[in-house]
Amino acid sequence: MEQKKRIFSGIQPSGDLTLGSYMGAIKNWVALQDEYDCLYCIVDMHAITVRQVPADLRRRSLEQLAQYVACGLDPQKNIMFIQSHVPAHAELSWVLGCYTQFGELSRMTQFKMKSQQHADNITAGLFTYPVLMAADILVYQADLVPVGEDQKQHVELCRDIASRFNNSFPDTFTLPEPFIPKMGARIMSLGAPENKMSKSDPDGCVYIMDKPEDIMRKFKRAVTDCETAVRYDRENKPGVSNLLTIYCAATGKTMQQAEQEFAGQGYGVFKPAVGEAVVELMRPIREETTKLLSDRAYLESIYKEGAEKASYLANKTLRKVYKKVGFVPR
Ligand code: TYM
């Protein structure tokens, strides 16, 4: 039988899971789980590149695992685990850091943005974050990395690091490709549609665990423009275009269908309709997450088994890399 291609992706438990992460990443993970061998990670080591409250980080890591399952990821089909449980990520990261240029890391958009947001605490970890991300991907020889648009630059850097390493030591790493959805790759803030929807902006952000009334309130208040036409025009109508994108990603309709549906109707009809579509999309996920969180033993069995399987795969790559760079075998 032909070997299935492999997928790796992850989300930081640095805040509650958002509609942006769902539409940009998890929705695709669910769609790809039958066709590929998939590893989905809770990247807690990435989360500590900015300050976290330890108890919150622990709680959110478990919650995120429950949400992965509630979103439709089958623990029988996918390897789901917590990054800090598989030391090979950090070990490979060190080696890859020695094959990454200071200049390359300085050019990363996320680093530039986060170092502005956390100007009083720009750590070495924040700077070398993309190296750890490259290790996450390369340690599993992943072919495909399903992410939102904002992570494309990091996946491209990962490819550059892998190519450079392969130039010195042929046939070490598979070169991964980013896999970015056509609809929902970049969900914008509801309050400031020129910015990406992010965990740290509670007003502009819809969380998977938000109650229906909170979701409706956020959509009714969403920033639009002073026209009345429901029409996609990202440049001139960023708010309406974002709502249309969310509507299409939530319902599976095309942009043309959505525009037709709301033709001649004002924002007073359009905004609550988008809210309702999201409420219906999130309702089963929220209910299932709550159910799963009451069964700690089940969640524990998923992440323990996940870490065991992931470690087995990761250690194979790590052994190969350590040998190639000239370390004495243990
Ligand atoms: P993170 O935790 O910021 O986001 C998780 C995933 O959600 C996507 N995403 C969005 N997509 C569309 N619209 C948005 N507003 C939006 N916000 C977030 C992100 O693109 C991402 O796919 N560095 C990564 C985590 C990571 C990783 C990895 C990903 C660590 N190692 C290896 C893939 C492979 C991050 O910060 O994602």
Side-chain angles (χ1 to χ4, degrees), residues 77-116:
K77 287 189 196 150
N78 305 284
I79 300 179
M80 286 185 264
F81 68 103
I82 299 172
Q83 186 183 29
S84 60
H85 293 182
V86 181
H89 292 234
E91 293 172 284
L92 180 62
S93 178
W94 178 258
V95 177
L96 295 181
C98 302
Y99 289 81
T100 308
Q101 297 298 310
F102 181 87
E104 288 176 309
L105 293 176
S106 312
R107 284 193 289 276
M108 292 293 112
T109 310
Q110 186 169 306
F111 171 68
K112 287 193 226 163
M113 267 170 41
K114 289 207 173 172
S115 47
Q116 270 172 10

Side-chain angles (χ1 to χ4, degrees), residues 12 20-21 24 129 133 136 147-148 150-151 185 187 196-197 199:
Q12 297 188 62
S21 294
Y129 174 117
M133 178 161 162
D136 297 340
V147 283
D150 62 322
Q151 294 301 318
I187 302 295
K196 187 185 81 164
M197 180 181 281
K199 300 166 196 163

Side-chain angles (χ1 to χ4, degrees), residues 8-14 17-26 29 41 43 46 64 83 89 110 114 129-130 132-137 145-152 154-155 181 184-189 195-199:
F8 179 91
S9 198
I11 298 180
Q12 297 188 62
S14 52
L17 220 54
T18 73
L19 184 64
S21 294
Y22 179 78
M23 293 187 159
I26 302 180
W29 300 2
C41 188
V43 290
H46 278 94
Q64 196 169 302
Q83 186 183 29
H89 292 234
Q110 186 169 306
K114 289 207 173 172
Y129 174 117
L132 179 59
M133 178 161 162
D136 297 340
I137 298 167
V145 185
V147 283
E149 207 174 84
D150 62 322
Q151 294 301 318
K152 190 166 171 229
H154 287 160
V155 181
R186 191 169 170 77
I187 302 295
M188 310 308 279
S189 159
N195 300 331
K196 187 185 81 164
M197 180 181 281
S198 83
K199 300 166 196 163

